[in-house]
Amino acid sequence: MSSHPFRQARFLTSAHRIDQLPRDEGVEVAFAGRSNAGKSSALNAICDQQSLARTSKTPGRTQLLNVFPIGEDGRARLIDLPGYGYAKVPEAMRDHWRGVIDAYLRTRRSLCGLVLVMDARHPLKDFDRQMLGFAAASGRESHCLLTKADKLSRGEAARTLQLVRKELDLLAPGATAQLFSALARSGLDEARTRVGDWLGLGSG
C-alpha cells in the first residue's frame, strides 16, 4: 500500500473561539457538514487513521473546531468544524457554533478550501446551500463529499451525483462533487487528491 501525507495528520488542539486557533498562516482545509453526515468518519478514512477525529453514534459530538496539522512544521492543516443540525444542545450553544463557523469562514486568511460532507441519500439541505453560497461569494473553492454512497445502488448513486453536480453549476460554479464511502473505502484517492492539491501536498 502506497504512503500518503495524510497519515501524518495528528490532533493538535480544540478551539472554542477563533482566537484559540493556531496562528493564521500556512494553509487550511475545513471540513463542514450536518451532524449526521459522517464527517468524522470521512476525515478518519481520508487520513487512514481509525480515531483521529472523534466519531459517535450520537450526532453532533464535534462541538469545537478541531485542528489536525499534517507534517512536522504544521503549516498544512485540516480543520474539523462543529457539526450542524441534529445535535441535541441548548439553543445558546447552537448560536455560538453558528457564530464561530461564520467568523472562521469569513476571516480566516489561511483557509484555502472547504470540504462539505453530505449524506448521499439527503444531499443539498439548507445548511449545505448556505455553506456553498458563502464559499462561492468569498472566492474559496469547495468540494462535496457525498458520503454513505454504499447505501445506494450503483444507479441511484450515479443519478444523485449527476443531480448534485448540475445544481452546483447554479449554486456555486466551480464547486466539485464526488461519491464517497468511509465504510466501503471508496472515493478515498479522489478526496485525497483534491484536498492535497489545495494544501500543496502530494496525494501519495
PDB file of all heavy atoms in Angstrom, residues 85-124:
ATOM      1  N   GLY A  85     -26.964  20.873  12.969  1.00  0.00           N
ATOM      2  CA  GLY A  85     -28.280  20.366  12.610  1.00  0.00           C
ATOM      3  C   GLY A  85     -28.941  19.497  13.650  1.00  0.00           C
ATOM      4  O   GLY A  85     -29.910  19.906  14.275  1.00  0.00           O
ATOM      5  N   TYR A  86     -28.393  18.310  13.867  1.00  0.00           N
ATOM      6  CA  TYR A  86     -29.088  17.337  14.706  1.00  0.00           C
ATOM      7  C   TYR A  86     -28.773  17.432  16.184  1.00  0.00           C
ATOM      8  O   TYR A  86     -29.490  16.890  17.002  1.00  0.00           O
ATOM      9  CB  TYR A  86     -28.726  15.921  14.247  1.00  0.00           C
ATOM     10  CG  TYR A  86     -29.756  15.267  13.375  1.00  0.00           C
ATOM     11  CD1 TYR A  86     -30.738  16.001  12.737  1.00  0.00           C
ATOM     12  CD2 TYR A  86     -29.740  13.903  13.178  1.00  0.00           C
ATOM     13  CE1 TYR A  86     -31.667  15.398  11.918  1.00  0.00           C
ATOM     14  CE2 TYR A  86     -30.667  13.272  12.364  1.00  0.00           C
ATOM     15  CZ  TYR A  86     -31.623  14.031  11.733  1.00  0.00           C
ATOM     16  OH  TYR A  86     -32.545  13.422  10.930  1.00  0.00           O
ATOM     17  N   ALA A  87     -27.665  18.059  16.526  1.00  0.00           N
ATOM     18  CA  ALA A  87     -27.167  17.978  17.893  1.00  0.00           C
ATOM     19  C   ALA A  87     -28.203  18.462  18.912  1.00  0.00           C
ATOM     20  O   ALA A  87     -28.796  19.520  18.764  1.00  0.00           O
ATOM     21  CB  ALA A  87     -25.889  18.805  18.023  1.00  0.00           C
ATOM     22  N   LYS A  88     -28.387  17.644  19.939  1.00  0.00           N
ATOM     23  CA  LYS A  88     -29.340  17.998  20.996  1.00  0.00           C
ATOM     24  C   LYS A  88     -28.616  18.828  22.035  1.00  0.00           C
ATOM     25  O   LYS A  88     -28.176  18.328  23.071  1.00  0.00           O
ATOM     26  CB  LYS A  88     -29.926  16.722  21.613  1.00  0.00           C
ATOM     27  CG  LYS A  88     -30.763  15.918  20.620  1.00  0.00           C
ATOM     28  CD  LYS A  88     -31.313  14.645  21.255  1.00  0.00           C
ATOM     29  CE  LYS A  88     -32.162  13.866  20.268  1.00  0.00           C
ATOM     30  NZ  LYS A  88     -32.665  12.606  20.841  1.00  0.00           N
ATOM     31  N   VAL A  89     -28.488  20.106  21.727  1.00  0.00           N
ATOM     32  CA  VAL A  89     -27.780  21.019  22.615  1.00  0.00           C
ATOM     33  C   VAL A  89     -28.648  22.266  22.811  1.00  0.00           C
ATOM     34  O   VAL A  89     -29.557  22.537  22.028  1.00  0.00           O
ATOM     35  CB  VAL A  89     -26.421  21.443  22.023  1.00  0.00           C
ATOM     36  CG1 VAL A  89     -25.508  20.237  21.881  1.00  0.00           C
ATOM     37  CG2 VAL A  89     -26.604  22.124  20.689  1.00  0.00           C
ATOM     38  N   PRO A  90     -28.373  23.033  23.871  1.00  0.00           N
ATOM     39  CA  PRO A  90     -29.142  24.261  24.090  1.00  0.00           C
ATOM     40  C   PRO A  90     -29.010  25.217  22.908  1.00  0.00           C
ATOM     41  O   PRO A  90     -27.979  25.259  22.239  1.00  0.00           O
ATOM     42  CB  PRO A  90     -28.504  24.846  25.355  1.00  0.00           C
ATOM     43  CG  PRO A  90     -27.881  23.681  26.048  1.00  0.00           C
ATOM     44  CD  PRO A  90     -27.426  22.760  24.962  1.00  0.00           C
ATOM     45  N   GLU A  91     -30.039  26.013  22.676  1.00  0.00           N
ATOM     46  CA  GLU A  91     -30.048  26.946  21.553  1.00  0.00           C
ATOM     47  C   GLU A  91     -28.899  27.942  21.652  1.00  0.00           C
ATOM     48  O   GLU A  91     -28.324  28.335  20.642  1.00  0.00           O
ATOM     49  CB  GLU A  91     -31.385  27.695  21.494  1.00  0.00           C
ATOM     50  CG  GLU A  91     -31.564  28.548  20.257  1.00  0.00           C
ATOM     51  CD  GLU A  91     -31.581  27.725  18.967  1.00  0.00           C
ATOM     52  OE1 GLU A  91     -31.992  26.558  19.009  1.00  0.00           O
ATOM     53  OE2 GLU A  91     -31.164  28.275  17.925  1.00  0.00           O
ATOM     54  N   ALA A  92     -28.532  28.318  22.874  1.00  0.00           N
ATOM     55  CA  ALA A  92     -27.424  29.265  23.043  1.00  0.00           C
ATOM     56  C   ALA A  92     -26.121  28.673  22.513  1.00  0.00           C
ATOM     57  O   ALA A  92     -25.325  29.370  21.873  1.00  0.00           O
ATOM     58  CB  ALA A  92     -27.264  29.632  24.520  1.00  0.00           C
ATOM     59  N   MET A  93     -25.896  27.372  22.772  1.00  0.00           N
ATOM     60  CA  MET A  93     -24.686  26.729  22.259  1.00  0.00           C
ATOM     61  C   MET A  93     -24.744  26.634  20.735  1.00  0.00           C
ATOM     62  O   MET A  93     -23.748  26.854  20.042  1.00  0.00           O
ATOM     63  CB  MET A  93     -24.538  25.333  22.869  1.00  0.00           C
ATOM     64  CG  MET A  93     -23.351  24.544  22.340  1.00  0.00           C
ATOM     65  SD  MET A  93     -21.763  25.334  22.692  1.00  0.00           S
ATOM     66  CE  MET A  93     -21.590  24.936  24.431  1.00  0.00           C
ATOM     67  N   ARG A  94     -25.908  26.330  20.202  1.00  0.00           N
ATOM     68  CA  ARG A  94     -26.056  26.249  18.754  1.00  0.00           C
ATOM     69  C   ARG A  94     -25.771  27.605  18.111  1.00  0.00           C
ATOM     70  O   ARG A  94     -25.123  27.697  17.072  1.00  0.00           O
ATOM     71  CB  ARG A  94     -27.463  25.762  18.406  1.00  0.00           C
ATOM     72  CG  ARG A  94     -27.577  25.151  17.032  1.00  0.00           C
ATOM     73  CD  ARG A  94     -28.918  24.499  16.819  1.00  0.00           C
ATOM     74  NE  ARG A  94     -29.158  23.407  17.742  1.00  0.00           N
ATOM     75  CZ  ARG A  94     -30.238  22.639  17.717  1.00  0.00           C
ATOM     76  NH1 ARG A  94     -31.182  22.870  16.821  1.00  0.00           N
ATOM     77  NH2 ARG A  94     -30.388  21.653  18.570  1.00  0.00           N
ATOM     78  N   ASP A  95     -26.249  28.678  18.742  1.00  0.00           N
ATOM     79  CA  ASP A  95     -25.979  30.022  18.235  1.00  0.00           C
ATOM     80  C   ASP A  95     -24.484  30.333  18.280  1.00  0.00           C
ATOM     81  O   ASP A  95     -23.947  30.982  17.377  1.00  0.00           O
ATOM     82  CB  ASP A  95     -26.748  31.067  19.046  1.00  0.00           C
ATOM     83  CG  ASP A  95     -28.249  31.045  18.759  1.00  0.00           C
ATOM     84  OD1 ASP A  95     -28.650  30.465  17.733  1.00  0.00           O
ATOM     85  OD2 ASP A  95     -29.016  31.594  19.574  1.00  0.00           O
ATOM     86  N   HIS A  96     -23.824  29.872  19.348  1.00  0.00           N
ATOM     87  CA  HIS A  96     -22.384  30.093  19.463  1.00  0.00           C
ATOM     88  C   HIS A  96     -21.655  29.396  18.313  1.00  0.00           C
ATOM     89  O   HIS A  96     -20.790  30.001  17.665  1.00  0.00           O
ATOM     90  CB  HIS A  96     -21.869  29.568  20.800  1.00  0.00           C
ATOM     91  CG  HIS A  96     -20.366  29.535  20.887  1.00  0.00           C
ATOM     92  ND1 HIS A  96     -19.616  30.665  21.082  1.00  0.00           N
ATOM     93  CD2 HIS A  96     -19.492  28.503  20.775  1.00  0.00           C
ATOM     94  CE1 HIS A  96     -18.331  30.335  21.090  1.00  0.00           C
ATOM     95  NE2 HIS A  96     -18.237  29.035  20.906  1.00  0.00           N
ATOM     96  N   TRP A  97     -21.990  28.137  18.055  1.00  0.00           N
ATOM     97  CA  TRP A  97     -21.357  27.409  16.956  1.00  0.00           C
ATOM     98  C   TRP A  97     -21.540  28.163  15.648  1.00  0.00           C
ATOM     99  O   TRP A  97     -20.613  28.314  14.859  1.00  0.00           O
ATOM    100  CB  TRP A  97     -21.977  26.039  16.789  1.00  0.00           C
ATOM    101  CG  TRP A  97     -21.733  25.080  17.904  1.00  0.00           C
ATOM    102  CD1 TRP A  97     -20.960  25.268  19.028  1.00  0.00           C
ATOM    103  CD2 TRP A  97     -22.274  23.770  18.014  1.00  0.00           C
ATOM    104  NE1 TRP A  97     -21.010  24.159  19.816  1.00  0.00           N
ATOM    105  CE2 TRP A  97     -21.803  23.224  19.225  1.00  0.00           C
ATOM    106  CE3 TRP A  97     -23.111  23.007  17.221  1.00  0.00           C
ATOM    107  CZ2 TRP A  97     -22.142  21.937  19.638  1.00  0.00           C
ATOM    108  CZ3 TRP A  97     -23.448  21.737  17.635  1.00  0.00           C
ATOM    109  CH2 TRP A  97     -22.962  21.210  18.824  1.00  0.00           C
ATOM    110  N   ARG A  98     -22.786  28.596  15.416  1.00  0.00           N
ATOM    111  CA  ARG A  98     -23.101  29.279  14.152  1.00  0.00           C
ATOM    112  C   ARG A  98     -22.228  30.514  13.994  1.00  0.00           C
ATOM    113  O   ARG A  98     -21.693  30.789  12.914  1.00  0.00           O
ATOM    114  CB  ARG A  98     -24.586  29.643  14.148  1.00  0.00           C
ATOM    115  CG  ARG A  98     -25.145  30.016  12.787  1.00  0.00           C
ATOM    116  CD  ARG A  98     -26.638  30.291  12.884  1.00  0.00           C
ATOM    117  NE  ARG A  98     -27.394  29.107  13.234  1.00  0.00           N
ATOM    118  CZ  ARG A  98     -28.218  29.000  14.276  1.00  0.00           C
ATOM    119  NH1 ARG A  98     -28.362  30.014  15.104  1.00  0.00           N
ATOM    120  NH2 ARG A  98     -28.884  27.893  14.513  1.00  0.00           N
ATOM    121  N   GLY A  99     -22.084  31.261  15.076  1.00  0.00           N
ATOM    122  CA  GLY A  99     -21.267  32.473  15.025  1.00  0.00           C
ATOM    123  C   GLY A  99     -19.796  32.177  14.798  1.00  0.00           C
ATOM    124  O   GLY A  99     -19.124  32.877  14.039  1.00  0.00           O
ATOM    125  N   VAL A 100     -19.292  31.141  15.458  1.00  0.00           N
ATOM    126  CA  VAL A 100     -17.880  30.777  15.310  1.00  0.00           C
ATOM    127  C   VAL A 100     -17.598  30.302  13.889  1.00  0.00           C
ATOM    128  O   VAL A 100     -16.598  30.704  13.275  1.00  0.00           O
ATOM    129  CB  VAL A 100     -17.493  29.694  16.340  1.00  0.00           C
ATOM    130  CG1 VAL A 100     -16.129  29.099  16.010  1.00  0.00           C
ATOM    131  CG2 VAL A 100     -17.484  30.275  17.743  1.00  0.00           C
ATOM    132  N   ILE A 101     -18.462  29.445  13.354  1.00  0.00           N
ATOM    133  CA  ILE A 101     -18.266  28.959  11.988  1.00  0.00           C
ATOM    134  C   ILE A 101     -18.301  30.115  11.006  1.00  0.00           C
ATOM    135  O   ILE A 101     -17.452  30.220  10.109  1.00  0.00           O
ATOM    136  CB  ILE A 101     -19.340  27.913  11.624  1.00  0.00           C
ATOM    137  CG1 ILE A 101     -19.117  26.631  12.438  1.00  0.00           C
ATOM    138  CG2 ILE A 101     -19.306  27.589  10.134  1.00  0.00           C
ATOM    139  CD1 ILE A 101     -20.222  25.599  12.264  1.00  0.00           C
ATOM    140  N   ASP A 102     -19.264  31.009  11.186  1.00  0.00           N
ATOM    141  CA  ASP A 102     -19.381  32.155  10.288  1.00  0.00           C
ATOM    142  C   ASP A 102     -18.126  33.022  10.337  1.00  0.00           C
ATOM    143  O   ASP A 102     -17.570  33.415   9.310  1.00  0.00           O
ATOM    144  CB  ASP A 102     -20.619  32.976  10.659  1.00  0.00           C
ATOM    145  CG  ASP A 102     -20.771  34.207   9.795  1.00  0.00           C
ATOM    146  OD1 ASP A 102     -21.019  34.055   8.589  1.00  0.00           O
ATOM    147  OD2 ASP A 102     -20.622  35.327  10.322  1.00  0.00           O
ATOM    148  N   ALA A 103     -17.659  33.306  11.551  1.00  0.00           N
ATOM    149  CA  ALA A 103     -16.466  34.143  11.703  1.00  0.00           C
ATOM    150  C   ALA A 103     -15.235  33.454  11.113  1.00  0.00           C
ATOM    151  O   ALA A 103     -14.410  34.099  10.455  1.00  0.00           O
ATOM    152  CB  ALA A 103     -16.235  34.466  13.179  1.00  0.00           C
ATOM    153  N   TYR A 104     -15.114  32.165  11.340  1.00  0.00           N
ATOM    154  CA  TYR A 104     -13.970  31.430  10.799  1.00  0.00           C
ATOM    155  C   TYR A 104     -13.960  31.495   9.272  1.00  0.00           C
ATOM    156  O   TYR A 104     -12.935  31.797   8.655  1.00  0.00           O
ATOM    157  CB  TYR A 104     -14.019  29.974  11.270  1.00  0.00           C
ATOM    158  CG  TYR A 104     -13.000  29.097  10.584  1.00  0.00           C
ATOM    159  CD1 TYR A 104     -11.660  29.119  10.971  1.00  0.00           C
ATOM    160  CD2 TYR A 104     -13.370  28.271   9.537  1.00  0.00           C
ATOM    161  CE1 TYR A 104     -10.717  28.332  10.326  1.00  0.00           C
ATOM    162  CE2 TYR A 104     -12.433  27.479   8.886  1.00  0.00           C
ATOM    163  CZ  TYR A 104     -11.114  27.513   9.285  1.00  0.00           C
ATOM    164  OH  TYR A 104     -10.187  26.741   8.635  1.00  0.00           O
ATOM    165  N   LEU A 105     -15.089  31.216   8.655  1.00  0.00           N
ATOM    166  CA  LEU A 105     -15.147  31.191   7.199  1.00  0.00           C
ATOM    167  C   LEU A 105     -14.942  32.583   6.597  1.00  0.00           C
ATOM    168  O   LEU A 105     -14.384  32.712   5.503  1.00  0.00           O
ATOM    169  CB  LEU A 105     -16.486  30.614   6.744  1.00  0.00           C
ATOM    170  CG  LEU A 105     -16.722  29.139   7.093  1.00  0.00           C
ATOM    171  CD1 LEU A 105     -18.138  28.731   6.710  1.00  0.00           C
ATOM    172  CD2 LEU A 105     -15.714  28.238   6.407  1.00  0.00           C
ATOM    173  N   ARG A 106     -15.373  33.618   7.286  1.00  0.00           N
ATOM    174  CA  ARG A 106     -15.247  34.973   6.747  1.00  0.00           C
ATOM    175  C   ARG A 106     -13.849  35.541   6.903  1.00  0.00           C
ATOM    176  O   ARG A 106     -13.381  36.289   6.046  1.00  0.00           O
ATOM    177  CB  ARG A 106     -16.250  35.909   7.430  1.00  0.00           C
ATOM    178  CG  ARG A 106     -17.660  35.839   6.899  1.00  0.00           C
ATOM    179  CD  ARG A 106     -18.530  36.960   7.447  1.00  0.00           C
ATOM    180  NE  ARG A 106     -18.681  36.887   8.898  1.00  0.00           N
ATOM    181  CZ  ARG A 106     -18.045  37.657   9.774  1.00  0.00           C
ATOM    182  NH1 ARG A 106     -17.196  38.592   9.348  1.00  0.00           N
ATOM    183  NH2 ARG A 106     -18.243  37.517  11.072  1.00  0.00           N
ATOM    184  N   THR A 107     -13.167  35.200   8.002  1.00  0.00           N
ATOM    185  CA  THR A 107     -11.968  35.946   8.362  1.00  0.00           C
ATOM    186  C   THR A 107     -10.671  35.156   8.293  1.00  0.00           C
ATOM    187  O   THR A 107      -9.589  35.755   8.323  1.00  0.00           O
ATOM    188  CB  THR A 107     -12.099  36.503   9.798  1.00  0.00           C
ATOM    189  OG1 THR A 107     -12.149  35.407  10.737  1.00  0.00           O
ATOM    190  CG2 THR A 107     -13.360  37.346   9.941  1.00  0.00           C
ATOM    191  N   ARG A 108     -10.728  33.860   8.184  1.00  0.00           N
ATOM    192  CA  ARG A 108      -9.504  33.045   8.266  1.00  0.00           C
ATOM    193  C   ARG A 108      -8.751  33.096   6.938  1.00  0.00           C
ATOM    194  O   ARG A 108      -9.171  32.509   5.938  1.00  0.00           O
ATOM    195  CB  ARG A 108      -9.892  31.613   8.628  1.00  0.00           C
ATOM    196  CG  ARG A 108      -8.719  30.721   8.974  1.00  0.00           C
ATOM    197  CD  ARG A 108      -8.133  31.046  10.321  1.00  0.00           C
ATOM    198  NE  ARG A 108      -7.126  30.040  10.703  1.00  0.00           N
ATOM    199  CZ  ARG A 108      -6.335  30.158  11.743  1.00  0.00           C
ATOM    200  NH1 ARG A 108      -6.417  31.220  12.535  1.00  0.00           N
ATOM    201  NH2 ARG A 108      -5.463  29.215  12.026  1.00  0.00           N
ATOM    202  N   ARG A 109      -7.637  33.803   6.907  1.00  0.00           N
ATOM    203  CA  ARG A 109      -6.893  34.009   5.665  1.00  0.00           C
ATOM    204  C   ARG A 109      -6.262  32.720   5.146  1.00  0.00           C
ATOM    205  O   ARG A 109      -6.085  32.552   3.948  1.00  0.00           O
ATOM    206  CB  ARG A 109      -5.815  35.079   5.867  1.00  0.00           C
ATOM    207  CG  ARG A 109      -6.358  36.467   6.169  1.00  0.00           C
ATOM    208  CD  ARG A 109      -5.232  37.486   6.208  1.00  0.00           C
ATOM    209  NE  ARG A 109      -4.196  37.133   7.171  1.00  0.00           N
ATOM    210  CZ  ARG A 109      -4.233  37.435   8.462  1.00  0.00           C
ATOM    211  NH1 ARG A 109      -5.275  38.097   8.948  1.00  0.00           N
ATOM    212  NH2 ARG A 109      -3.249  37.096   9.270  1.00  0.00           N
ATOM    213  N   SER A 110      -5.874  31.826   6.045  1.00  0.00           N
ATOM    214  CA  SER A 110      -5.198  30.602   5.614  1.00  0.00           C
ATOM    215  C   SER A 110      -6.160  29.551   5.060  1.00  0.00           C
ATOM    216  O   SER A 110      -5.709  28.547   4.499  1.00  0.00           O
ATOM    217  CB  SER A 110      -4.392  30.006   6.781  1.00  0.00           C
ATOM    218  OG  SER A 110      -5.211  29.859   7.929  1.00  0.00           O
ATOM    219  N   LEU A 111      -7.453  29.780   5.182  1.00  0.00           N
ATOM    220  CA  LEU A 111      -8.434  28.829   4.653  1.00  0.00           C
ATOM    221  C   LEU A 111      -8.408  28.868   3.126  1.00  0.00           C
ATOM    222  O   LEU A 111      -8.676  29.889   2.513  1.00  0.00           O
ATOM    223  CB  LEU A 111      -9.829  29.183   5.168  1.00  0.00           C
ATOM    224  CG  LEU A 111     -10.977  28.312   4.632  1.00  0.00           C
ATOM    225  CD1 LEU A 111     -10.819  26.867   5.060  1.00  0.00           C
ATOM    226  CD2 LEU A 111     -12.321  28.870   5.099  1.00  0.00           C
ATOM    227  N   CYS A 112      -8.070  27.729   2.514  1.00  0.00           N
ATOM    228  CA  CYS A 112      -7.965  27.704   1.051  1.00  0.00           C
ATOM    229  C   CYS A 112      -9.031  26.840   0.399  1.00  0.00           C
ATOM    230  O   CYS A 112      -9.208  26.907  -0.820  1.00  0.00           O
ATOM    231  CB  CYS A 112      -6.579  27.231   0.624  1.00  0.00           C
ATOM    232  SG  CYS A 112      -6.155  25.569   1.173  1.00  0.00           S
ATOM    233  N   GLY A 113      -9.746  26.040   1.163  1.00  0.00           N
ATOM    234  CA  GLY A 113     -10.781  25.207   0.567  1.00  0.00           C
ATOM    235  C   GLY A 113     -11.725  24.648   1.617  1.00  0.00           C
ATOM    236  O   GLY A 113     -11.358  24.519   2.788  1.00  0.00           O
ATOM    237  N   LEU A 114     -12.926  24.335   1.182  1.00  0.00           N
ATOM    238  CA  LEU A 114     -13.961  23.807   2.064  1.00  0.00           C
ATOM    239  C   LEU A 114     -14.433  22.457   1.534  1.00  0.00           C
ATOM    240  O   LEU A 114     -14.845  22.354   0.373  1.00  0.00           O
ATOM    241  CB  LEU A 114     -15.138  24.789   2.124  1.00  0.00           C
ATOM    242  CG  LEU A 114     -16.357  24.340   2.933  1.00  0.00           C
ATOM    243  CD1 LEU A 114     -16.036  24.327   4.423  1.00  0.00           C
ATOM    244  CD2 LEU A 114     -17.542  25.272   2.661  1.00  0.00           C
ATOM    245  N   VAL A 115     -14.351  21.443   2.370  1.00  0.00           N
ATOM    246  CA  VAL A 115     -14.931  20.139   2.047  1.00  0.00           C
ATOM    247  C   VAL A 115     -16.277  20.056   2.750  1.00  0.00           C
ATOM    248  O   VAL A 115     -16.343  20.123   3.978  1.00  0.00           O
ATOM    249  CB  VAL A 115     -14.016  18.982   2.493  1.00  0.00           C
ATOM    250  CG1 VAL A 115     -14.709  17.635   2.239  1.00  0.00           C
ATOM    251  CG2 VAL A 115     -12.684  19.034   1.768  1.00  0.00           C
ATOM    252  N   LEU A 116     -17.332  19.945   1.965  1.00  0.00           N
ATOM    253  CA  LEU A 116     -18.681  19.890   2.510  1.00  0.00           C
ATOM    254  C   LEU A 116     -19.162  18.445   2.464  1.00  0.00           C
ATOM    255  O   LEU A 116     -19.283  17.855   1.387  1.00  0.00           O
ATOM    256  CB  LEU A 116     -19.604  20.800   1.705  1.00  0.00           C
ATOM    257  CG  LEU A 116     -21.013  21.007   2.245  1.00  0.00           C
ATOM    258  CD1 LEU A 116     -20.983  21.502   3.692  1.00  0.00           C
ATOM    259  CD2 LEU A 116     -21.761  22.006   1.380  1.00  0.00           C
ATOM    260  N   VAL A 117     -19.409  17.876   3.630  1.00  0.00           N
ATOM    261  CA  VAL A 117     -19.779  16.471   3.760  1.00  0.00           C
ATOM    262  C   VAL A 117     -21.299  16.364   3.816  1.00  0.00           C
ATOM    263  O   VAL A 117     -21.939  16.964   4.686  1.00  0.00           O
ATOM    264  CB  VAL A 117     -19.130  15.861   5.016  1.00  0.00           C
ATOM    265  CG1 VAL A 117     -19.508  14.396   5.157  1.00  0.00           C
ATOM    266  CG2 VAL A 117     -17.618  16.022   4.965  1.00  0.00           C
ATOM    267  N   MET A 118     -21.862  15.605   2.876  1.00  0.00           N
ATOM    268  CA  MET A 118     -23.316  15.435   2.800  1.00  0.00           C
ATOM    269  C   MET A 118     -23.653  13.960   2.664  1.00  0.00           C
ATOM    270  O   MET A 118     -22.987  13.239   1.920  1.00  0.00           O
ATOM    271  CB  MET A 118     -23.882  16.176   1.579  1.00  0.00           C
ATOM    272  CG  MET A 118     -23.682  17.667   1.581  1.00  0.00           C
ATOM    273  SD  MET A 118     -24.470  18.451   0.145  1.00  0.00           S
ATOM    274  CE  MET A 118     -23.211  18.204  -1.104  1.00  0.00           C
ATOM    275  N   ASP A 119     -24.671  13.505   3.357  1.00  0.00           N
ATOM    276  CA  ASP A 119     -25.196  12.155   3.187  1.00  0.00           C
ATOM    277  C   ASP A 119     -25.739  12.035   1.759  1.00  0.00           C
ATOM    278  O   ASP A 119     -26.599  12.828   1.357  1.00  0.00           O
ATOM    279  CB  ASP A 119     -26.307  11.912   4.211  1.00  0.00           C
ATOM    280  CG  ASP A 119     -26.796  10.469   4.257  1.00  0.00           C
ATOM    281  OD1 ASP A 119     -26.839   9.810   3.190  1.00  0.00           O
ATOM    282  OD2 ASP A 119     -27.166  10.010   5.344  1.00  0.00           O
ATOM    283  N   ALA A 120     -25.230  11.078   1.001  1.00  0.00           N
ATOM    284  CA  ALA A 120     -25.636  10.935  -0.401  1.00  0.00           C
ATOM    285  C   ALA A 120     -27.133  10.694  -0.550  1.00  0.00           C
ATOM    286  O   ALA A 120     -27.711  10.975  -1.610  1.00  0.00           O
ATOM    287  CB  ALA A 120     -24.862   9.784  -1.056  1.00  0.00           C
ATOM    288  N   ARG A 121     -27.779  10.207   0.520  1.00  0.00           N
ATOM    289  CA  ARG A 121     -29.226   9.963   0.446  1.00  0.00           C
ATOM    290  C   ARG A 121     -30.030  11.237   0.670  1.00  0.00           C
ATOM    291  O   ARG A 121     -31.225  11.283   0.349  1.00  0.00           O
ATOM    292  CB  ARG A 121     -29.625   8.906   1.482  1.00  0.00           C
ATOM    293  CG  ARG A 121     -28.949   7.553   1.266  1.00  0.00           C
ATOM    294  CD  ARG A 121     -29.084   6.677   2.491  1.00  0.00           C
ATOM    295  NE  ARG A 121     -28.417   7.268   3.645  1.00  0.00           N
ATOM    296  CZ  ARG A 121     -28.459   6.738   4.870  1.00  0.00           C
ATOM    297  NH1 ARG A 121     -29.131   5.623   5.087  1.00  0.00           N
ATOM    298  NH2 ARG A 121     -27.822   7.327   5.864  1.00  0.00           N
ATOM    299  N   HIS A 122     -29.378  12.266   1.238  1.00  0.00           N
ATOM    300  CA  HIS A 122     -30.080  13.523   1.561  1.00  0.00           C
ATOM    301  C   HIS A 122     -29.167  14.716   1.270  1.00  0.00           C
ATOM    302  O   HIS A 122     -28.824  15.482   2.173  1.00  0.00           O
ATOM    303  CB  HIS A 122     -30.495  13.538   3.037  1.00  0.00           C
ATOM    304  CG  HIS A 122     -31.151  12.281   3.505  1.00  0.00           C
ATOM    305  ND1 HIS A 122     -32.431  11.922   3.128  1.00  0.00           N
ATOM    306  CD2 HIS A 122     -30.695  11.281   4.303  1.00  0.00           C
ATOM    307  CE1 HIS A 122     -32.740  10.768   3.686  1.00  0.00           C
ATOM    308  NE2 HIS A 122     -31.706  10.355   4.402  1.00  0.00           N
ATOM    309  N   PRO A 123     -28.779  14.909   0.019  1.00  0.00           N
ATOM    310  CA  PRO A 123     -27.825  15.986  -0.284  1.00  0.00           C
ATOM    311  C   PRO A 123     -28.480  17.359  -0.375  1.00  0.00           C
ATOM    312  O   PRO A 123     -29.700  17.478  -0.529  1.00  0.00           O
ATOM    313  CB  PRO A 123     -27.273  15.563  -1.648  1.00  0.00           C
ATOM    314  CG  PRO A 123     -28.419  14.851  -2.295  1.00  0.00           C
ATOM    315  CD  PRO A 123     -29.147  14.138  -1.182  1.00  0.00           C
ATOM    316  N   LEU A 124     -27.637  18.383  -0.265  1.00  0.00           N
ATOM    317  CA  LEU A 124     -28.030  19.778  -0.514  1.00  0.00           C
ATOM    318  C   LEU A 124     -29.221  20.235   0.324  1.00  0.00           C
ATOM    319  O   LEU A 124     -30.209  20.740  -0.188  1.00  0.00           O
ATOM    320  CB  LEU A 124     -28.302  19.987  -2.010  1.00  0.00           C
ATOM    321  CG  LEU A 124     -27.056  19.866  -2.900  1.00  0.00           C
ATOM    322  CD1 LEU A 124     -27.444  19.954  -4.362  1.00  0.00           C
ATOM    323  CD2 LEU A 124     -26.033  20.935  -2.545  1.00  0.00           C
TER     324      LEU A 124
END
